[in-house]
């Protein structure tokens, strides 16, 4: 069993496997021997054998989970990012070995690695049996008996599939975060969790959130997490303590980016073919005066449409038309026999057209990324009434305490959640901007087309200036280059929302 856990079968190689760092880290855990690791990785019939060995005193170093959780501070019940990568591999291996199976409440597909079994199923069929055999501590303290200080708090609703959850968390892991509090792995699932959360203010959730620098909200495909009162309470604590809240998102599948890319490439090829036919077959010679000015009109319309329109289909049409027209011009502008003096463009005109093609290509990619961000926002809205007062809780005493603690701040928390859904993030700066009437929609979602195209145009200007036989032109080109490099270096160290603002300000 140990060999299977730490060395997944070779047919799983397309997926990530526990690295050497994880194995070394596990081997260095103090006070936990290899016997305990064997217990922690056993399931099914092996559990009974391990329990018998523990009762006979054969496993002397087996830890007492209750003692460990009293000794280690609650804000240290955390796991690392590497632990989550390893956990994903363990779950997949257990599914393939038949140790995690579908139930009447969770009829997941064992061959599916996009959603997977719910966290409820993972808790019952993996986390509880493994941690029970190891000493009834949490998964986090089983791996790190001395604990890891929390700097990232993960809030979720337990309804999501385990692979859906892990994929979003790993992809959206904030820069600078090291250790995450995730309740399914942090809390001792075989002990009295009700006693741990009887006073929500002193619960592990609250203390870990106070210690964290970031809070990561994980949407799921079933319902908004803010239909669950504990998630709403965590939003309240984050709002009260001015924590940075981010919405986790899954990586965009390659096939979702490949299709739009191929469409733009096809439009570009058709435009280039039309330009070739026009130049050599239909109207040999340089572009006419009318064609020159029609070109600028036809190019500006797709650009304006891409910048103004919200309809995805209309934006895609603009990108395809823009790429085709610019490919037509790039082909004819630099053909043999073309007279650059006729309209003063020549090869530089072709260069501008190529940059424009790149702009429409990147704009199409940005459109797909915007759709993905909008999808995560819709998941947060799914079933959410707009007020945390409508959230539910399975224990009435917890609900009474939470509502009494939130008190009159429910409206402010509702506004914070609306900002989070609309902007993809929440912090004090975004709250001030929203209160000032600023449109914060997608305020933390950067689009690459405009800033990268602006940078390319500036680089083209620099090349033009360097061709001039004038030291003032060279000096001006040097200044532009220094400003560009300084902008890239400075923006790389800014917080996420400020990086987006920097990219948009450059485009302006």
């Amino acid at each position: 069993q140990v060999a299977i856990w730490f060395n997944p079968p070779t047919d799983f190689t397309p997926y990530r496997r526990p690295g050497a760092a994880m194995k070394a880290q596990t081997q260095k855990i103090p006070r936990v021997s290899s016997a305990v690791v064997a217990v922690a990785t056993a399931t099914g019939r092996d559990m009974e054998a391990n329990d018998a060995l523990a009762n006979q005193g054969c496993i002397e170093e087996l830890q007492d989970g209750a003692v460990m959780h009293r000794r280690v501070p609650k804000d240290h019940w955390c796991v690392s990012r590497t632990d989550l990568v390893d956990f994903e591999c363990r779950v997949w291996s257990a599914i393939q070995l038949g140790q995690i199976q579908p139930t009447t409440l969770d009829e997941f597909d064992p061959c599916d690695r996009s959603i997977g079994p719910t966290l409820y199923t993972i808790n019952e069929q993996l986390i509880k049996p493994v941690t029970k055999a190891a000493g009834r501590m949490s998964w986090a303290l089983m791996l790190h008996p001395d604990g890891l200080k929390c700097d990232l708090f993960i809030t979720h609703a337990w309804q999501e599939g385990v692979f859906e959850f892990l994929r979003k968390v790993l992809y959206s892991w904030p820069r600078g975060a090291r250790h995450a509090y995730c309740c399914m792995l942090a809390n001792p699932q075989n002990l009295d969790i009700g006693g741990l959360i009887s006073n929500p203010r002193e619960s592990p959730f609250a203390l870990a959130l106070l210690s964290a620098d970031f809070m990561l909200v994980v949407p799921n495909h079933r319902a908004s997490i803010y239909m669950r009162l504990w998630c709403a309470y965590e939003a309240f604590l984050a709002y009260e303590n001015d924590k940075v809240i981010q919405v986790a998102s899954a990586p965009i599948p390659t096939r979702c980016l490949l299709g739009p890319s191929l469409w733009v490439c096809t439009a570009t090829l058709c435009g280039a073919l039309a330009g070739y036919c026009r130049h050599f077959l239909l109207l040999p010679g340089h572009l006419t005066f009318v064609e020159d000015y029609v070109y600028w009109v036809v190019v500006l319309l797709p650009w304006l449409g891409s910048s103004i329109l919200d309809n995805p289909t209309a934006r895609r049409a603009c990108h395809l038309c823009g790429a085709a027209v610019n490919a037509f011009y790039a082909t004819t502008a630099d053909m043999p026999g073309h007279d650059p003096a006729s309209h003063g463009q020549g090869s530089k005109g072709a260069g501008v057209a190529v940059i424009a093609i790149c702009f429409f290509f990147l704009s199409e990619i940005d459109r797909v990324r915007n759709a993905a961000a909008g999808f995560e926002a819709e998941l947060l809205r799914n079933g959410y009434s707009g007020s945390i007062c409508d959230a539910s809780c399975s224990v009435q005493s917890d609900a009474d305490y939470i509502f009494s603690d939130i008190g009159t701040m429910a409206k402010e928390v509702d506004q914070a959640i609306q900002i989070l859904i609309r902007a993809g993030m929440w912090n004090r700066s975004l709250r001030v901007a929203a209160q000032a009437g600023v449109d914060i929609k997608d305020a933390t979602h950067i689009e690459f087309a405009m800033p990268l195209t602006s940078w390319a145009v500036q680089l083209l200007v620099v090349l033009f200036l360097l061709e001039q036989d004038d030291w003032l032109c060279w000096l001006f080109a040097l200044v532009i280059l220094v400003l560009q490099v300084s902008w890239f270096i400075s923006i790389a160290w800014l917080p996420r929302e400020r990086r987006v603002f920097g990219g948009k300000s450059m485009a302006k």
Side-chain angles (χ1 to χ4, degrees):
Q1 291 290 342
V2 174
I4 292 175
W5 281 120
F6 286 95
N7 298 282
T10 54
D11 55 337
F12 303 149
T13 49
Y15 304 103
R16 289 169 292 193
R17 303 171 64 178
M22 177 62 204
K23 297 178 186 177
Q25 188 179 34
T26 305
Q27 294 169 358
K28 294 179 182 178
I29 294 177
R31 296 185 300 282
V32 179
S33 69
S34 58
V36 175
V37 174
V39 172
T41 55
T43 57
R45 291 187 300 272
D46 296 324
M47 294 293 182
E48 300 175 2
N50 288 330
D51 287 341
L53 289 173
N55 292 333
Q56 296 172 12
C58 298
I59 302 178
E60 299 178 351
E61 298 183 75
L62 196 64
Q63 299 294 295
D64 185 334
V67 173
M68 291 180 68
H69 281 273
R70 285 195 297 268
R71 175 175 57 84
V72 180
K74 295 177 181 177
D75 60 352
H76 282 58
W77 301 355
C78 297
V79 293
S80 67
R81 190 179 187 278
T82 303
D83 295 333
L84 294 181
V85 174
D86 176 65
F87 185 73
E88 181 182 10
C89 291
R90 295 186 183 197
V91 170
W92 180 247
S93 297
I95 293 173
Q96 299 306 301
L97 292 171
Q99 295 165 349
I100 298 177
Q101 298 181 351
T103 66
T104 55
L105 297 178
D106 183 14
E107 298 178 350
F108 68 90
D109 180 2
C111 297
D112 171 47
R113 200 168 182 176
S114 60
I115 301 295
T118 67
L119 299 187
Y120 292 112
T121 301
I122 295 298
N123 186 47
E124 292 297 328
Q125 299 190 29
L126 177 64
I127 296 176
K128 278 188 174 182
V130 169
T131 55
K132 179 181 179 181
R136 299 178 185 274
M137 72 287 289
S138 68
W139 191 280
L141 292 192
M142 181 184 72
L143 297 179
H144 308 283
D146 291 328
L148 300 172
K149 184 172 175 56
C150 177
D151 50 26
L152 170 63
F153 185 92
I154 301 173
T155 177
H156 60 101
W158 284 70
Q159 298 172 312
E160 61 270 16
V162 63
F163 299 128
E164 175 188 24
F165 170 80
L166 290 171
R167 187 171 67 253
K168 291 183 178 182
V169 170
L170 293 173
Y171 183 71
S172 306
W173 190 277
R175 185 177 62 182
R178 296 176 300 166
H179 311 131
Y181 180 96
C182 175
C183 59
M184 71 167 177
L185 301 177
N187 293 336
Q189 302 297 337
N190 292 292
L191 299 180
D192 180 20
I193 296 182
L196 290 174
I197 63 176
S198 58
N199 182 352
R201 277 282 179 179
E202 299 299 323
S203 66
F205 300 92
L207 297 180
L209 183 52
L210 290 177
S211 173
D213 297 320
F214 310 94
M215 178 175 173
L216 193 62
V217 177
V218 186
N220 65 80
H221 70 287
R222 296 181 182 272
S224 173
I225 69 169
Y226 293 116
M227 295 176 64
R228 187 169 178 257
L229 187 55
W230 272 101
C231 293
Y233 185 63
E234 291 162 0
F236 161 71
L237 292 176
Y239 172 85
E240 186 181 50
N241 293 278
D242 281 329
K243 301 295 182 180
V244 176
I245 310 175
Q246 299 180 15
V247 176
S249 60
I252 301 175
T254 303
R255 65 180 181 275
C256 294
L257 295 174
L258 186 60
S261 301
L262 290 176
W263 275 107
V264 175
C265 291
T266 301
T268 303
L269 183 61
C270 291
L273 183 61
Y276 182 88
C277 293
R278 180 258 177 229
H279 185 79
F280 283 104
L281 302 178
L282 301 178
L283 296 171
H286 58 75
L287 294 175
T288 64
F289 178 84
V290 174
E291 286 176 318
D292 256 350
Y293 282 91
V294 168
Y295 160 76
W296 292 108
V297 174
V298 174
V299 165
L300 285 176
L301 288 177
W303 180 80
L304 289 174
S306 176
S307 304
I308 297 174
L309 297 176
D310 291 328
N311 185 279
T313 304
R315 289 192 66 191
R316 166 179 275 191
C318 291
H319 300 156
L320 297 180
C321 290
V325 171
N326 279 281
F328 175 88
Y329 182 75
T331 306
T332 56
D334 203 25
M335 280 290 185
H338 173 258
D339 182 11
S342 62
H343 54 78
Q345 295 296 323
S347 59
K348 293 185 179 62
V352 172
V354 170
I355 292 175
I357 293 172
C358 294
F359 166 79
F360 289 112
F361 179 85
L362 293 174
S363 295
E364 183 64 7
I365 300 299
D366 285 338
R367 183 190 65 81
V368 177
R369 294 175 61 250
N370 284 336
F375 177 72
E376 299 295 343
E378 288 301 320
L379 293 180
L380 286 179
R381 290 191 185 96
N382 183 23
Y384 176 54
S385 66
S387 174
I388 61 173
C389 295
D390 298 324
S392 60
C393 182
S394 58
V395 180
Q396 187 58 42
S397 59
D398 290 346
D400 295 338
Y401 184 98
I402 290 173
F403 281 125
S404 65
D405 194 14
I406 294 177
T408 59
M409 294 186 64
K411 185 177 180 180
E412 286 83 353
V413 178
D414 292 337
Q415 292 175 348
I417 292 175
Q418 293 298 334
I419 293 174
L420 177 69
I421 293 174
R422 187 165 180 80
M425 186 178 184
W426 184 92
N427 60 14
R428 180 182 290 273
S429 300
L430 288 172
R431 181 178 68 178
V432 172
Q435 291 173 346
V438 177
D439 183 8
I440 58 170
K441 185 177 184 298
D442 298 328
T444 59
H445 179 73
I446 189 169
E447 294 186 350
F448 294 104
M450 191 62 76
L452 290 180
T453 303
S454 301
W455 177 81
V457 170
Q458 292 178 40
L459 185 60
L460 198 63
V461 171
V462 168
L463 294 176
F464 173 77
L465 292 173
L466 291 177
E467 290 179 355
Q468 309 304 311
D469 190 14
D470 188 342
W471 68 272
L472 285 176
C473 293
W474 296 350
L475 180 62
F476 189 45
L478 179 62
V479 170
I480 294 177
L481 282 175
V482 170
L483 289 176
Q484 285 185 319
V485 173
S486 301
W487 180 84
F488 276 110
I489 293 176
S490 61
I491 205 171
W493 296 100
L494 290 175
R496 177 181 171 186
E497 75 281 4
R498 294 189 179 183
R499 288 202 304 269
V500 176
F501 176 81
K504 292 183 177 180
S505 63
M506 180 184 180
K508 298 293 184 181

